[in-house]
Amino acid sequence: MRYAVLGTGEVGRTLGGRLVELGHEVRLGSRTPDNPAAAQWAAAAGAGAQAGTFAQAAAFGEVVVNAVGGRVALAALEAAGAENLDGKVLVDVSNPLAIEEGELRLSPVGSDSVGEQIQRAFPQARVVKTLNTVNCRVMVDPALVPGEHQVFVCGEEAGAKEQVVALLGEFGWPARRVLDLGGIREARAVEMWLPLWIGLMRNFGHAEFNLELRRAR
Amino acid sequence: MRYAVLGTGEVGRTLGGRLVELGHEVRLGSRTPDNPAAAQWAAAAGAGAQAGTFAQAAAFGEVVVNAVGGRVALAALEAAGAENLDGKVLVDVSNPLAIEEGELRLSPVGSDSVGEQIQRAFPQARVVKTLNTVNCRVMVDPALVPGEHQVFVCGEEAGAKEQVVALLGEFGWPARRVLDLGGIREARAVEMWLPLWIGLMRNFGHAEFNLELRRAR
């Protein structure tokens, strides 16, 4: 499969690298055509890895992964171009975190989410929110963390979610550990997990953890 | 120990009932002195159980538990009276949920929390946020749910948190399963867990679940 991964930060490079290892072709997209991090990534990731602009990457991908920060997701996707997103599965792994008044905060929060913003702005894209609840090393290697811990999907279209569940399976998340929360509105819920995730990271001293839901029945 | 439990809903009655079973004296507080739910609870809970107004309950308790909804917590605590809260451990288990625009939403959210509101309004109270992340049946009987699932505490004062950790131990939460997130500001993080909790409740079809943090190390 051909993947566009938008974002050359740790999340984008990690997801893109793992997709290449899995045998996919990946074009890592950035704002500029000559991004050094993207070029270095493409050289190191080997055959199947290319770098380009957001638009070049999105045009290339059969599936588009949004791995830029949640606060700049709409700008990156505008640059990618609606015509390069229409009809495609758009996997959003971002969180809208930023420093405000000296504190790390989410925005939007509560009555909106990045997942919903993206779906509204690109109504022809098949947006699925997933993986934003774990660190990127855990995203692509869930066995780093012991236990039957889980990830979530939400989105408007069952077919797109099925395709994402299959991708998660390639990363090592069996379908039984992928919980479908419903429509894209539930992106609010998974994005609002982040403040607790950050508190736990501080408590544990590292980011390699996840939650396992335990149930009476 | 003498406990005030403010709130005659399911959360207050469940917490109050378990405290009586554990041998404590409990006064369940409500807005009015003749609340039928409170009177019925006191009659059924047996020796050690009384009903009263918020102020009567808070005056009685050595520890005060806020078990009214998060949106009305400040009003209930104002009625309880600052003079009846000063210097006492105030356990806040509430969540600020309400229907807005036809949707269940948190308010405050993101840049404030009920835990912080209470601590600001009653600076002499020793506020500890805890247990708001689970259903009230799980609060007082964690063995309902299998596994090493956890609860959280946060608050400004270590001594108050220690006292709450001991109370959680009486409910069946061993200290190793109580994670201290830090100061009362972290109430934001645990309150923002609620939207995901609600999505999971809908997915599972019941409220008897909890999260177990799994860690690489």
Side-chain angles (χ1 to χ4, degrees):
Chain A
M1 183 91 81
R2 292 194 313 277
Y3 281 91
V5 176
L6 308 185
T8 59
E10 192 190 353
V11 179
R13 297 195 312 270
T14 302
L15 285 169
R18 183 73 186 124
L19 286 166
V20 172
E21 285 175 5
L22 289 166
H24 299 293
E25 292 181 85
V26 176
R27 193 147 192 181
L28 198 71
S30 64
R31 276 194 305 120
T32 56
D34 55 355
N35 182 305
Q40 196 176 352
W41 171 86
Q50 303 173 61
T53 63
F54 287 137
Q56 289 168 336
F60 172 83
E62 298 165 276
V63 171
V64 178
V65 179
N66 174 45
V68 303
R71 300 282 185 114
V72 295
L74 287 178
L77 291 164
E78 289 291 350
E83 69 279 14
N84 295 320
L85 303 173
D86 285 0
K88 295 181 184 175
V89 172
L90 201 173
V91 184
D92 175 33
V93 306
S94 74
N95 287 300
L97 287 168
I99 304 285
E100 284 180 357
E101 301 175 19
E103 295 178 331
L104 201 54
R105 289 196 191 153
L106 288 177
S107 177
V109 65
S111 55
D112 200 6
S113 61
V114 179
E116 289 165 281
Q117 287 179 333
I118 293 173
Q119 186 64 84
R120 281 199 307 273
F122 303 95
Q124 302 308 314
R126 304 158 71 202
V127 179
V128 178
K129 185 100 197 181
T130 192
L131 286 179
N132 70 301
T133 53
V134 291
N135 174 271
C136 60
R137 292 183 298 281
V138 179
M139 289 181 187
V140 300
D141 188 6
L144 274 179
V145 175
E148 289 281 299
H149 52 96
Q150 292 121 336
V151 284
F152 308 98
V153 292
C154 63
E156 294 304 310
E157 201 198 310
K161 288 192 278 192
E162 275 171 35
Q163 198 172 325
V164 171
V165 170
L167 170 62
L168 293 171
E170 293 185 66
F171 285 154
W173 299 96
R176 71 175 183 281
R177 286 168 54 189
V178 181
L179 300 181
D180 185 345
L181 294 171
I184 194 65
R185 186 193 174 289
E186 298 308 311
R188 298 176 195 183
V190 288
E191 293 178 13
M192 280 198 268
W193 158 250
L194 258 286
L196 184 51
W197 185 92
I198 289 165
L200 293 167
M201 183 182 66
R202 198 167 45 228
N203 184 300
F204 298 160
H206 63 83
E208 292 178 0
F209 64 88
N210 193 15
L211 83 178
E212 177 175 347
L213 278 314
R214 305 300 305 252
R215 312 163 47 167
R217 53 190 180 278
Chain B
M1 183 92 79
R2 293 194 313 277
Y3 281 90
V5 177
L6 309 185
T8 60
E10 193 190 352
V11 180
R13 297 195 312 270
T14 302
L15 285 168
R18 184 72 186 126
L19 286 166
V20 171
E21 284 175 5
L22 289 165
H24 299 293
E25 292 180 85
V26 176
R27 192 146 194 183
L28 197 71
S30 63
R31 275 193 307 120
T32 54
D34 54 356
N35 182 305
Q40 196 177 351
W41 171 87
Q50 304 173 61
T53 63
F54 287 137
Q56 288 168 337
F60 172 83
E62 297 165 277
V63 170
V64 178
V65 179
N66 174 46
V68 302
R71 299 282 186 113
V72 295
L74 288 178
L77 290 164
E78 289 291 348
E83 69 280 13
N84 294 321
L85 304 173
D86 285 1
K88 294 181 184 175
V89 172
L90 200 174
V91 184
D92 175 34
V93 305
S94 74
N95 287 300
L97 288 167
I99 303 286
E100 286 180 357
E101 299 174 23
E103 296 178 330
L104 201 54
R105 289 197 191 154
L106 287 177
S107 178
V109 66
S111 55
D112 200 5
S113 61
V114 180
E116 290 165 279
Q117 288 179 331
I118 294 173
Q119 186 65 83
R120 281 199 306 272
F122 302 95
Q124 303 306 315
R126 303 158 70 201
V127 179
V128 178
K129 185 101 198 179
T130 193
L131 286 179
N132 70 300
T133 54
V134 291
N135 174 270
C136 61
R137 292 184 298 282
V138 179
M139 289 181 187
V140 299
D141 189 6
L144 273 179
V145 176
E148 289 281 302
H149 52 96
Q150 293 122 337
V151 284
F152 308 99
V153 292
C154 63
E156 294 304 309
E157 201 198 311
K161 288 192 280 193
E162 274 171 37
Q163 198 172 327
V164 171
V165 170
L167 170 62
L168 294 171
E170 293 185 67
F171 285 154
W173 299 97
R176 69 174 184 281
R177 287 168 54 190
V178 181
L179 299 180
D180 185 346
L181 293 170
I184 195 65
R185 185 191 176 287
E186 299 307 312
R188 297 176 195 183
V190 289
E191 292 177 15
M192 280 198 268
W193 159 249
L194 259 286
L196 184 52
W197 186 91
I198 290 165
L200 293 167
M201 183 182 65
R202 198 166 46 228
N203 185 301
F204 299 158
H206 62 82
E208 292 179 359
F209 64 88
N210 193 15
L211 82 178
E212 177 175 346
L213 278 315
R214 304 301 304 253
R215 310 163 48 168
R217 52 191 180 276

Coordinates of all heavy atoms in Angstrom, one line a residue, chain A residues 131-184:
Chain A
L131 N -4.9 5.9 17.8 CA -3.5 5.9 18.3 C -3.0 7.1 19.0 O -1.9 7.1 19.5 CB -2.5 5.6 17.1 CG -2.5 4.2 16.5 CD1 -1.5 4.2 15.3 CD2 -2.1 3.2 17.5
N132 N -3.8 8.2 19.1 CA -3.3 9.4 19.8 C -3.2 9.2 21.3 O -2.7 10.1 22.0 CB -4.3 10.6 19.5 CG -5.6 10.3 20.2 OD1 -6.3 9.3 20.0 ND2 -6.0 11.2 21.1
T133 N -3.7 8.1 21.8 CA -3.7 7.8 23.2 C -2.4 7.2 23.7 O -2.2 7.0 24.9 CB -4.9 6.9 23.6 OG1 -4.8 5.7 22.8 CG2 -6.2 7.6 23.4
V134 N -1.5 6.9 22.8 CA -0.2 6.3 23.2 C 1.0 7.0 22.6 O 0.9 7.6 21.5 CB -0.1 4.8 22.9 CG1 -1.1 4.0 23.7 CG2 -0.3 4.5 21.4
N135 N 2.2 6.8 23.2 CA 3.4 7.3 22.6 C 3.7 6.6 21.3 O 3.3 5.5 21.1 CB 4.5 7.0 23.6 CG 5.9 7.4 23.1 OD1 6.5 6.5 22.4 ND2 6.3 8.6 23.3
C136 N 4.4 7.3 20.4 CA 4.6 6.7 19.0 C 5.4 5.4 19.0 O 5.2 4.6 18.1 CB 5.2 7.8 18.1 SG 6.8 8.4 18.6
R137 N 6.3 5.2 20.0 CA 7.0 3.9 20.0 C 6.0 2.8 20.4 O 6.1 1.7 19.9 CB 8.1 4.0 21.1 CG 9.3 4.9 20.6 CD 10.4 4.9 21.6 NE 10.1 5.3 23.0 CZ 9.9 6.6 23.3 NH1 10.1 7.6 22.4 NH2 9.6 6.9 24.6
V138 N 5.0 3.1 21.2 CA 4.0 2.1 21.5 C 3.0 1.9 20.4 O 2.6 0.8 20.1 CB 3.3 2.5 22.8 CG1 2.2 1.5 23.2 CG2 4.2 2.7 24.0
M139 N 2.7 3.0 19.6 CA 1.9 2.9 18.5 C 2.3 1.8 17.5 O 1.5 1.0 17.1 CB 1.9 4.2 17.6 CG 1.3 5.4 18.2 SD 1.4 6.9 17.1 CE 0.8 8.2 18.1
V140 N 3.6 1.7 17.2 CA 4.1 0.8 16.2 C 4.7 -0.5 16.8 O 5.1 -1.4 16.1 CB 5.1 1.5 15.3 CG1 4.5 2.7 14.6 CG2 6.4 1.8 16.1
D141 N 4.7 -0.6 18.2 CA 5.3 -1.7 18.8 C 4.6 -1.9 20.2 O 5.2 -1.8 21.2 CB 6.8 -1.5 19.0 CG 7.4 -2.8 19.5 OD1 6.8 -3.9 19.6 OD2 8.7 -2.7 19.8
P142 N 3.3 -2.3 20.1 CA 2.5 -2.4 21.4 C 3.1 -3.4 22.4 O 2.9 -3.3 23.6 CB 1.1 -2.9 20.9 CG 1.2 -3.2 19.5 CD 2.4 -2.6 18.9
A143 N 3.9 -4.4 21.9 CA 4.5 -5.4 22.8 C 5.6 -4.7 23.7 O 6.0 -5.4 24.6 CB 5.1 -6.5 22.0
L144 N 6.0 -3.5 23.4 CA 6.8 -2.8 24.4 C 6.2 -2.7 25.8 O 6.9 -2.7 26.8 CB 7.0 -1.3 23.9 CG 8.1 -1.0 22.9 CD1 8.1 0.5 22.6 CD2 9.5 -1.4 23.5
V145 N 4.9 -2.7 25.8 CA 4.1 -2.6 27.1 C 3.5 -4.0 27.3 O 2.8 -4.5 26.4 CB 3.1 -1.5 27.0 CG1 2.2 -1.4 28.2 CG2 3.8 -0.2 26.7
P146 N 3.6 -4.6 28.5 CA 3.0 -5.9 28.7 C 1.4 -5.7 28.9 O 0.9 -4.6 29.2 CB 3.6 -6.3 30.1 CG 4.0 -5.0 30.8 CD 4.4 -4.1 29.7
G147 N 0.8 -6.8 28.7 CA -0.7 -6.8 28.9 C -1.5 -6.6 27.7 O -1.1 -6.4 26.6
E148 N -2.8 -6.7 28.0 CA -3.8 -6.6 26.9 C -4.3 -5.2 26.8 O -5.5 -5.0 26.7 CB -5.0 -7.6 27.3 CG -4.7 -9.1 27.1 CD -4.7 -9.5 25.7 OE1 -5.8 -9.4 25.0 OE2 -3.7 -10.0 25.2
H149 N -3.4 -4.3 26.8 CA -3.8 -2.9 26.7 C -4.3 -2.5 25.3 O -4.1 -3.2 24.3 CB -2.6 -2.0 27.1 CG -1.4 -2.3 26.3 ND1 -1.0 -1.6 25.2 CD2 -0.4 -3.2 26.5 CE1 0.1 -2.1 24.7 NE2 0.5 -3.1 25.5
Q150 N -5.1 -1.4 25.3 CA -5.9 -1.2 24.1 C -5.7 0.2 23.4 O -5.2 1.1 24.1 CB -7.4 -1.3 24.5 CG -7.9 -2.7 24.9 CD -8.4 -2.7 26.3 OE1 -8.1 -1.9 27.2 NE2 -9.2 -3.7 26.6
V151 N -6.2 0.2 22.2 CA -6.3 1.5 21.5 C -7.8 1.7 21.0 O -8.5 0.7 21.1 CB -5.3 1.7 20.4 CG1 -3.9 2.0 20.9 CG2 -5.3 0.5 19.4
F152 N -8.1 2.8 20.5 CA -9.4 3.2 20.1 C -9.5 3.6 18.7 O -8.5 4.1 18.1 CB -9.9 4.3 21.0 CG -9.7 4.1 22.5 CD1 -8.6 4.6 23.2 CD2 -10.6 3.2 23.2 CE1 -8.4 4.3 24.5 CE2 -10.4 2.9 24.5 CZ -9.4 3.5 25.2
V153 N -10.6 3.4 18.1 CA -10.9 4.0 16.8 C -12.3 4.7 16.9 O -13.2 4.3 17.6 CB -11.0 3.0 15.6 CG1 -9.6 2.4 15.3 CG2 -12.0 1.9 15.8
C154 N -12.4 5.9 16.2 CA -13.7 6.4 15.9 C -13.7 7.1 14.6 O -12.7 7.6 14.1 CB -14.1 7.4 17.1 SG -13.1 8.8 17.3
G155 N -14.9 7.2 14.0 CA -15.0 7.8 12.7 C -16.4 7.5 12.2 O -17.1 6.7 12.7
E156 N -16.7 8.2 11.1 CA -18.1 8.1 10.6 C -18.4 6.9 9.8 O -19.6 6.5 9.7 CB -18.4 9.4 9.8 CG -18.4 10.7 10.6 CD -19.4 10.6 11.7 OE1 -20.6 10.2 11.5 OE2 -19.0 10.9 12.9
E157 N -17.3 6.2 9.3 CA -17.6 5.2 8.3 C -17.0 3.9 8.7 O -15.8 3.7 8.9 CB -17.0 5.7 6.9 CG -17.5 5.0 5.7 CD -16.6 5.1 4.6 OE1 -16.2 6.2 4.3 OE2 -16.3 4.1 3.9
A158 N -17.8 2.9 8.7 CA -17.4 1.5 9.2 C -16.3 1.0 8.3 O -15.3 0.4 8.8 CB -18.6 0.6 9.2
G159 N -16.4 1.2 7.0 CA -15.4 0.6 6.1 C -14.0 1.2 6.3 O -13.0 0.5 6.3
A160 N -14.0 2.5 6.6 CA -12.7 3.2 6.9 C -12.1 2.7 8.2 O -10.9 2.4 8.3 CB -12.9 4.7 6.9
K161 N -13.0 2.5 9.2 CA -12.5 2.0 10.5 C -12.0 0.6 10.3 O -10.9 0.2 10.9 CB -13.6 2.0 11.5 CG -13.9 3.5 12.0 CD -14.8 3.6 13.2 CE -16.2 3.4 12.9 NZ -17.1 3.8 14.0
E162 N -12.6 -0.3 9.5 CA -12.1 -1.6 9.3 C -10.7 -1.6 8.7 O -9.9 -2.4 9.1 CB -13.1 -2.4 8.3 CG -14.2 -3.0 9.0 CD -15.3 -3.6 8.0 OE1 -14.8 -4.0 6.9 OE2 -16.5 -3.5 8.2
Q163 N -10.5 -0.7 7.7 CA -9.2 -0.6 7.1 C -8.2 -0.2 8.1 O -7.0 -0.7 8.1 CB -9.3 0.4 6.0 CG -8.2 0.3 5.0 CD -8.4 1.2 3.7 OE1 -9.6 1.4 3.3 NE2 -7.3 1.7 3.2
V164 N -8.5 0.7 9.0 CA -7.6 1.1 10.1 C -7.3 0.0 11.1 O -6.2 -0.2 11.6 CB -8.1 2.4 10.7 CG1 -7.3 2.8 12.0 CG2 -8.1 3.6 9.7
V165 N -8.4 -0.7 11.4 CA -8.2 -1.9 12.3 C -7.2 -2.9 11.7 O -6.3 -3.4 12.4 CB -9.5 -2.5 12.7 CG1 -9.3 -3.8 13.4 CG2 -10.4 -1.6 13.5
A166 N -7.2 -3.0 10.4 CA -6.3 -3.9 9.7 C -4.9 -3.4 9.8 O -3.9 -4.1 10.1 CB -6.7 -4.1 8.3
L167 N -4.7 -2.1 9.6 CA -3.4 -1.4 9.7 C -2.9 -1.6 11.1 O -1.7 -1.9 11.4 CB -3.5 0.1 9.4 CG -2.3 0.9 9.7 CD1 -1.1 0.5 8.9 CD2 -2.6 2.4 9.4
L168 N -3.8 -1.4 12.1 CA -3.4 -1.5 13.5 C -2.9 -3.0 13.8 O -1.9 -3.2 14.5 CB -4.5 -1.2 14.5 CG -4.9 0.3 14.5 CD1 -6.2 0.5 15.3 CD2 -3.8 1.2 15.0
G169 N -3.5 -3.9 13.1 CA -3.1 -5.3 13.2 C -1.7 -5.5 12.7 O -0.9 -6.2 13.3
E170 N -1.4 -4.8 11.6 CA 0.0 -4.9 11.1 C 1.0 -4.3 12.1 O 2.1 -4.8 12.2 CB 0.1 -4.1 9.8 CG -0.6 -4.7 8.6 CD -0.4 -3.9 7.4 OE1 0.8 -4.0 6.9 OE2 -1.3 -3.3 6.8
F171 N 0.6 -3.3 12.9 CA 1.5 -2.7 13.9 C 1.6 -3.6 15.1 O 2.5 -3.4 16.0 CB 1.0 -1.4 14.3 CG 1.2 -0.2 13.4 CD1 0.3 0.9 13.4 CD2 2.2 -0.2 12.4 CE1 0.5 1.9 12.5 CE2 2.4 0.8 11.6 CZ 1.6 1.9 11.6
G172 N 0.7 -4.6 15.2 CA 0.8 -5.5 16.4 C -0.4 -5.4 17.3 O -0.4 -6.0 18.4
W173 N -1.4 -4.7 17.0 CA -2.6 -4.5 17.8 C -3.7 -5.5 17.3 O -4.3 -5.2 16.2 CB -3.2 -3.1 17.7 CG -2.3 -2.0 18.2 CD1 -1.5 -1.2 17.4 CD2 -2.1 -1.6 19.6 NE1 -0.8 -0.3 18.2 CE2 -1.2 -0.5 19.5 CE3 -2.7 -2.0 20.8 CZ2 -0.8 0.1 20.7 CZ3 -2.3 -1.3 21.9 CH2 -1.3 -0.3 21.9
P174 N -3.9 -6.6 17.9 CA -5.0 -7.5 17.5 C -6.3 -6.8 17.6 O -6.5 -5.9 18.4 CB -4.9 -8.7 18.4 CG -4.1 -8.3 19.6 CD -3.3 -7.1 19.2
A175 N -7.3 -7.2 16.7 CA -8.6 -6.5 16.6 C -9.3 -6.5 18.0 O -10.0 -5.6 18.3 CB -9.4 -7.2 15.5
R176 N -9.1 -7.5 18.8 CA -9.8 -7.6 20.1 C -9.3 -6.5 21.0 O -10.0 -6.2 22.0 CB -9.6 -8.9 20.8 CG -8.2 -9.2 21.3 CD -8.0 -10.5 22.1 NE -6.7 -10.6 22.6 CZ -5.6 -11.0 21.9 NH1 -5.8 -11.4 20.6 NH2 -4.4 -11.0 22.5
R177 N -8.2 -5.9 20.7 CA -7.6 -4.8 21.5 C -7.8 -3.4 20.9 O -7.2 -2.5 21.3 CB -6.1 -5.1 21.8 CG -6.0 -6.2 22.8 CD -4.5 -6.7 22.9 NE -3.6 -5.6 23.2 CZ -2.3 -5.8 23.1 NH1 -1.8 -7.0 22.8 NH2 -1.5 -4.8 23.4
V178 N -8.7 -3.4 19.9 CA -9.1 -2.1 19.3 C -10.6 -1.8 19.6 O -11.4 -2.5 19.1 CB -8.8 -2.1 17.8 CG1 -9.2 -0.8 17.2 CG2 -7.4 -2.5 17.4
L179 N -10.8 -0.8 20.4 CA -12.2 -0.5 20.8 C -12.8 0.6 19.9 O -12.2 1.6 19.8 CB -12.3 -0.1 22.3 CG -11.7 -1.1 23.3 CD1 -11.8 -0.5 24.7 CD2 -12.5 -2.4 23.2
D180 N -13.9 0.3 19.3 CA -14.6 1.2 18.4 C -15.6 2.0 19.3 O -16.5 1.5 19.8 CB -15.4 0.4 17.3 CG -16.0 1.4 16.3 OD1 -16.1 2.6 16.6 OD2 -16.4 0.9 15.2
L181 N -15.3 3.3 19.4 CA -16.1 4.2 20.2 C -17.3 4.8 19.5 O -18.1 5.4 20.2 CB -15.2 5.3 20.8 CG -14.1 4.9 21.8 CD1 -13.1 6.0 22.1 CD2 -14.7 4.3 23.1
G182 N -17.3 4.7 18.2 CA -18.4 5.3 17.5 C -18.0 6.3 16.5 O -16.9 6.1 15.8
G183 N -18.8 7.4 16.3 CA -18.5 8.4 15.3 C -17.3 9.3 15.7 O -16.8 9.2 16.8
I184 N -17.0 10.2 14.7 CA -15.8 11.1 14.9 C -16.0 12.0 16.1 O -15.0 12.5 16.7 CB -15.5 11.8 13.6 CG1 -14.1 12.4 13.6 CG2 -16.6 12.9 13.3 CD1 -13.0 11.5 13.7

